Amino acid sequence: MLPVGFLTRLVQARRSLLLCRGCLGPVGEGSEAGLCARCWDGLVPLPEGRCPRCALVHGGEAFHGEDPEAGCPEAVAWALGDALWDYHGGRPPLGALLLPGIKQGEAGWRKALLNRLPRVPLPAWAAEADRVTSAPSTLPRRLLRGFDFGAEAAQVIAARLERPFEPLLAKAWRSGRQASRTESERRRLPKRAITLSRGATPAGRVLLVDDVWTTGTTLLRCAQALLEGGADEVRVLTLFRAL
């Protein structure tokens, strides 16, 4: 018979030998999917005083106005926009670690992040949406990965809000990946790159969900397609915002 507490000590000894895949420190208690609790604490919210349309603090000044259109210099086509976490929050920057890994097939990180979505606070205005959709990826990309992370996140949020999730948008397969482009190239994404899905009929207030918001050009093309297709209003919510 094994001594009392032997298995517990064995697990603790094993953890002390494992290194976190993020910070390379010991994983310790609270670790998940190879990342220590300190790395997971890098899921930090955006700073207060951010613009309610582009989720940035303009010119270092906090937003205090009543009308978001009056002071937002960003090109947006939605009424309100926000993100759940800072893409560069934590040490190492957790969003910049997680999302590229997830898109390369890191199933543990994908599951852990999706499991956190039901618990993270959402903007109060998200509950006013009539339906939820996601920014699309190309068909070859979805087939290659075997999943669409943005759509998965949107479905979790739709379930929280008790609203239907509808895949309303399609991305031209020749448009390529925004992540592989420079900021200047991203901003030149043509309007025709994103269109309504065949048979889609946007209506009412649509909540558009994506995994990360950088220049916002993809979100802009999505919102334009939804509004031109009949949506009354578009609101944007992403998992991460790159500040």
Side-chain angles (χ1 to χ4, degrees), residues 144-166:
L144 181 64
R145 291 176 180 160
F147 62 92
D148 185 337
F149 185 64
E152 290 177 335
Q155 290 172 41
V156 174
I157 291 172
R160 281 191 63 179
L161 300 174
E162 298 182 342
R163 298 293 187 273
F165 169 78
E166 300 175 11

Side-chain angles (χ1 to χ4, degrees), residues 14-59:
R14 180 177 180 271
R15 283 178 173 168
S16 68
L17 296 175
L18 294 176
L19 296 181
C20 171
R21 296 172 62 192
C23 66
L24 300 182
V27 292
E29 295 292 334
S31 63
E32 186 177 2
L35 297 176
C36 67
R38 189 185 71 162
C39 280
W40 282 114
D41 286 343
L43 289 176
V44 295
L46 298 178
E48 297 293 331
R50 58 191 179 275
C51 173
R53 293 191 74 185
C54 70
L56 295 177
V57 178
H58 298 310

Side-chain angles (χ1 to χ4, degrees), residues 185-206:
E185 290 170 338
R186 291 183 185 192
R187 292 187 181 276
R188 294 199 298 270
L189 181 70
K191 194 172 181 180
R192 65 180 181 276
I194 295 177
T195 59
L196 290 183
S197 298
R198 184 173 299 179
T201 54
R205 184 176 287 139
V206 179

